[in-house]
Amino acid sequence: MKLFRYGAPGKEKPAVSLPDGRAIDVSAEVQDFNEAFFSGDGIDRLSRWLDAHAEAAPEVPADSRLGPCIARPSKIICIGLNYAKHAAESKMDPPKEPVLFFKSTTALVGPNDDLMIPKGSEKTDWEVELAVVIGKKASYIKEEDANSHIAGYCVHNDYSERAWQLERGGQWVKGKSADTYAPLGPWLVTPDEAGNTADLRLWLTLNGQTMQDSRTSDLIFGIPHIVSYLSQFMTLLPGDVISTGTPQGVGMGQKPQRYLRPGDVVRLGIEGLGEQMQTAKAYHPAS
Ligand code: ZN
């Protein structure tokens, strides 16, 4: 199943993209794709509801804005330096254990919303990543059980302010958490439709030029290991997002370095999980 959310920011409604190409509103059955939905066996229940009601459900207008594919979760956890060549371009050694950092959940936006370059930022950079959404509350998950804790997969652009992340001391969270820094979607794709997530192509272009083009088979720490590892340190809740790291080709790794400016257009995607597009805009206060 491909779950998505549409409508004005903060007022999104849940919807499903069907195999026949129709996109239908499922708000008659589901309040939102949130913690309660995932913990209450929501995907299986929605699947059964669709068998009986998909035909008559209202269609989503074709020009609708897409929101983040899930409601705001309890946490967004990111893995740093999880592709060997990206660690090298960042001038860091490949990690012996996964590098963890948090990203503010207020950074979430829809997959095609504008990127707003934050106030004072000179080093806003891109990072295409495969994100995992947790389906069950759990801690101390065994690696062999990890897949049964995953609700689905989606595309995430882990936007990063490199000066704030790396040049100002303290934790990376400062450079990862600005508004619009976490476009998520277009869809949350359930595991049965996501293909072999251990080997999917992921790519990103800047103004039409390919910057990142790799495969998840190059991950240093694979998805089951990451889910298990994280759960040794914190309880994972349904709807939590784990972003698995970015391959080489970020702006910081270019010679000379290349950071985003107003008017730049970023496109990215992952095989089977859909595509995103953001246009960079100068900082302006939220209305
Ligand atoms: Zn990242």
Side-chain angles (χ1 to χ4, degrees):
M1 212 182 325
K2 291 186 171 75
L3 312 181
F4 69 100
R5 298 164 71 250
Y6 76 99
K11 297 191 172 122
E12 292 92 345
K13 293 167 79 177
V16 172
S17 177
L18 296 172
D20 68 7
R22 282 201 315 141
I24 59 166
D25 182 308
V26 298
S27 59
E29 167 68 7
V30 174
Q31 194 209 356
D32 204 350
F33 298 135
N34 54 18
E35 185 179 338
F37 170 79
F38 292 113
S39 63
D41 217 10
I43 289 176
D44 286 344
R45 289 160 55 137
L46 177 56
S47 177
R48 289 194 295 275
W49 184 85
L50 286 170
D51 288 341
H53 299 94
E55 200 68 36
E59 294 210 14
V60 174
D63 58 350
S64 298
R65 168 193 175 260
L66 300 183
C69 57
I70 59 166
R72 191 165 62 216
S74 87
K75 48 193 173 292
I76 302 173
I77 317 156
C78 299
I79 312 298
L81 309 172
N82 201 17
Y83 288 81
K85 288 176 186 165
H86 173 63
E89 76 177 346
S90 305
K91 301 193 167 41
M92 296 189 208
D93 294 329
K96 294 186 177 63
E97 292 194 38
V99 171
L100 310 184
F101 61 92
F102 279 104
K103 191 171 178 96
S104 169
T105 59
T106 49
L108 278 178
V109 281
N112 304 315
D113 286 348
D114 291 337
L115 164 72
M116 185 173 69
I117 296 172
K119 191 176 186 176
S121 165
E122 295 185 348
K123 296 189 177 178
T124 289
D125 201 349
W126 54 84
E127 297 193 343
V128 60
E129 305 199 3
L130 174 77
V132 173
V133 174
I134 291 297
K136 286 190 238 178
K137 179 179 177 178
S139 45
Y140 307 110
I141 300 166
K142 291 190 188 129
E143 195 165 323
E144 59 264 34
D145 296 334
N147 283 335
S148 72
H149 290 78
I150 293 173
Y153 304 89
C154 50
V155 181
H156 174 218
N157 193 349
D158 177 23
Y159 278 115
S160 306
E161 216 304 336
R162 299 301 183 195
W164 304 351
Q165 176 193 354
L166 299 169
E167 297 170 16
R168 294 180 59 179
Q171 298 187 337
W172 289 6
V173 62
K174 287 188 294 192
K176 298 284 189 172
S177 294
D179 290 353
T180 77
Y181 261 31
L184 197 71
W187 312 301
L188 177 68
V189 182
T190 53
D192 57 306
E193 290 189 22
N196 176 14
T197 52
D199 189 19
L200 298 178
R201 179 173 173 243
L202 68 172
W203 55 271
L204 180 145
T205 67
L206 172 62
N207 302 328
Q209 183 187 347
T210 296
M211 307 305 291
Q212 297 185 281
D213 191 353
S214 186
R215 303 191 69 85
T216 56
S217 52
D218 287 336
L219 282 168
I220 296 172
F221 302 108
I223 293 167
H225 183 75
I226 290 169
V227 171
S228 170
Y229 183 86
L230 278 171
S231 76
Q232 309 306 311
F233 305 104
M234 66 190 85
T235 295
L236 299 175
L237 290 181
D240 280 357
V241 176
I242 301 169
S243 200
T244 58
T246 202
Q248 69 172 333
V250 300
M252 178 176 61
Q254 310 299 310
K255 293 189 179 74
Q257 294 180 336
R258 170 68 160 94
Y259 295 111
L260 293 168
R261 298 285 174 257
D264 282 337
V265 176
V266 177
R267 291 179 188 266
L268 58 149
I270 302 178
E271 183 184 355
L273 304 185
E275 299 184 8
Q276 305 185 348
M277 185 192 84
Q278 293 101 35
T279 303
K281 295 281 163 74
Y283 174 77
H284 52 277
S287 50

